[in-house]
Amino acid sequence: MTTAVQAKYDVGGVLLDRPFKIRRLGHFGFNVVRMAECKRFYVDLLGFKVSDVADMAARLPEEQRAKIADTTPGVFTRHNTDHHTFVLFNKQVMDAMRGASDSQVTINQITWQVGSLQEVTDAWHFFTEKGAKLQRVGRDMPGSNWHAYVYDPDGHVNELYYGIEQVGWEGYSKPRPMYERGFREEPQLPQINEFQEVQEALAKGIDLESGYRFEEELPAKYNVQGILLPRPFKITRIGPVSIFVSDLEASEAYYRDMLGFIKTEETQYNGERIVFMRTNTEHHSLALYPISLRRPLGMSEHTTSMSFGVQVANYKQLRDACDFLEENGVRVDRNPPEATRPGMDYVAHAWDPDGHCVQLYYYMEQVGWDGKPRPQSARRPVEAVWPETVEALPDAYMGEPFLGPWG
């Protein structure tokens, strides 16, 4: 596979080394065994809202479906107005669809947002020319995002997308009669815009309020900085994603040269390198760990996921989230090893019923115009017993803001 950068590409009038630029982590997901328990963890406890349900087992031949004990449908969920930011699917069903049951890649996909549909199609051609292992290109429903799928060296699926469906104040996802605008091949450009799609649906008499609508089951009993919520915290951002890889150098080269990530920093644990990479101003949106560190770090040995990060609105909410999860029977580990959290200070790990680690935090260091992270000597020391309050850092509450109300 050739990944050497050989030309400059015009990306919206700016010359870049690739014909696309990843802006942020858009969504992420797991394939799990304990589907009902994991749904409770991510929806009831963490607060992701279901935006659509997907019966993937229905796509299997009847004789294959009959061999699967648990065919619980998967769910698309969100923490903001994006149609989905976290997905949860039945591992047994997904393994049957892929024809592989022994894979330790329980990450359903890692999805990165680019700036335009043109960037999606140009990325597809770029991946083809560079010899990347491709999966598919087109536009899936539900979600309506235009995308290209490509595999990393360990088989993790990376999706580049543009234009995901937005769920508005009324809470309805796009109705199924509008799924006719899905594509299973590279789209011809230009395509009509989203407003035109809605106009056409209205002209056909489609009821725009006939899509899926989530209704919160837990009472909104917590006063969270002036808003009543069902939990004493609100997830305001997803990421970073941390993964275990079999060849650290090969994966670092792939994410740098193929996808355009920038290395911010590296640390060491047990004498082995850990690489932290970014795609925007956050200290890191991706972390690469050698798989030999999985056991020393105490991570689940059935998965190549080291952790999935979720940011809450502030430090108080982080403390309250840890208490809330523990009160509901979740294992929470405060203060993971320093080498696993550069650019962050107070961090906790929570474990889902399948043994996946969720990284809870409130602060992420921002990298400025000079591209340099804060030196270790200037970082806040983390106290073993978390204080009630912390002093503001220069980049406190910086980075990608959360838009819209918390509930």
Side-chain angles (χ1 to χ4, degrees), residues 225 233-236 311-315 317-318 361-362 397 406:
Q225 285 86 63
F233 63 94
K234 168 62 183 174
I235 292 175
T236 57
Q311 184 175 20
V312 296
N314 52 52
Y315 176 69
Q317 289 189 25
L318 175 62
Y361 69 104
Y362 80 100
Y397 297 145
W406 284 349

Side-chain angles (χ1 to χ4, degrees), residues 154-210:
D154 288 275
H156 301 107
V157 176
N158 282 271
E159 175 192 15
L160 269 59
Y161 83 98
Y162 153 79
I164 197 165
E165 171 188 332
Q166 298 294 297
V167 179
W169 61 268
E170 75 288 347
Y172 289 98
S173 296
K174 187 176 290 186
R176 291 188 178 274
M178 294 183 68
Y179 286 13
E180 63 184 20
R181 286 282 298 159
F183 286 73
R184 302 297 292 179
E185 67 283 325
E186 181 184 344
Q188 296 297 310
L189 304 186
Q191 291 287 324
I192 64 171
N193 63 48
E194 189 82 2
F195 181 79
Q196 288 178 276
E197 289 186 15
V198 175
Q199 291 297 96
E200 290 183 2
L202 288 171
K204 294 175 182 177
I206 295 174
D207 180 4
L208 299 186
E209 294 187 351
S210 61

Side-chain angles (χ1 to χ4, degrees), residues 57-272:
R59 303 183 185 184
L60 296 172
E62 187 59 39
E63 62 274 13
Q64 195 172 12
R65 181 185 173 106
K67 297 176 182 178
I68 299 176
D70 180 5
T71 56
T72 303
V75 290
F76 295 84
T77 75
R78 60 188 176 89
H79 75 281
N80 57 14
T81 60
D82 286 357
H83 178 274
H84 54 279
T85 55
F86 179 78
V87 299
L88 200 63
F89 287 102
N90 186 307
K91 185 176 186 298
Q92 193 175 10
V93 171
M94 298 305 292
D95 284 348
M97 291 181 67
R98 294 194 309 253
S101 60
D102 58 348
S103 173
Q104 294 185 346
V105 178
T106 61
I107 295 172
N108 179 272
Q109 63 190 73
I110 312 170
T111 301
W112 310 100
Q113 181 178 342
V114 297
S116 67
L117 177 52
Q118 184 73 59
E119 288 182 51
V120 172
T121 58
D122 287 351
W124 181 254
H125 291 285
F126 178 81
F127 297 149
T128 303
E129 293 165 3
K130 299 300 180 183
K133 185 179 179 183
L134 307 172
Q135 189 190 79
R136 58 193 171 92
V137 63
R139 189 193 197 196
D140 277 356
M141 303 287 181
S144 305
N145 46 301
W146 305 89
H147 54 207
Y149 285 82
V150 63
Y151 293 96
D152 81 358
D154 288 275
H156 301 107
V157 176
N158 282 271
E159 175 192 15
L160 269 59
Y161 83 98
Y162 153 79
I164 197 165
E165 171 188 332
Q166 298 294 297
V167 179
W169 61 268
E170 75 288 347
Y172 289 98
S173 296
K174 187 176 290 186
R176 291 188 178 274
M178 294 183 68
Y179 286 13
E180 63 184 20
R181 286 282 298 159
F183 286 73
R184 302 297 292 179
E185 67 283 325
E186 181 184 344
Q188 296 297 310
L189 304 186
Q191 291 287 324
I192 64 171
N193 63 48
E194 189 82 2
F195 181 79
Q196 288 178 276
E197 289 186 15
V198 175
Q199 291 297 96
E200 290 183 2
L202 288 171
K204 294 175 182 177
I206 295 174
D207 180 4
L208 299 186
E209 294 187 351
S210 61
Y212 189 96
R213 186 175 187 273
F214 176 77
E215 294 189 18
E216 181 69 68
E217 295 182 358
L218 300 182
K221 64 180 183 179
Y222 294 95
N223 179 356
V224 186
Q225 285 86 63
I227 299 293
L228 289 174
L229 297 178
R231 298 153 205 88
F233 63 94
K234 168 62 183 174
I235 292 175
T236 57
R237 183 175 176 271
I238 61 167
V241 170
S242 301
I243 57 176
F244 290 110
V245 297
S246 57
D247 185 331
L248 186 64
E249 286 70 28
S251 291
E252 181 182 357
Y254 174 87
Y255 282 98
R256 180 191 65 226
D257 299 338
M258 189 68 72
L259 295 186
F261 282 81
I262 304 164
K263 184 167 79 170
T264 305
E265 187 172 348
E266 61 179 66
T267 62
Q268 285 202 349
Y269 188 83
N270 272 18
E272 297 197 64

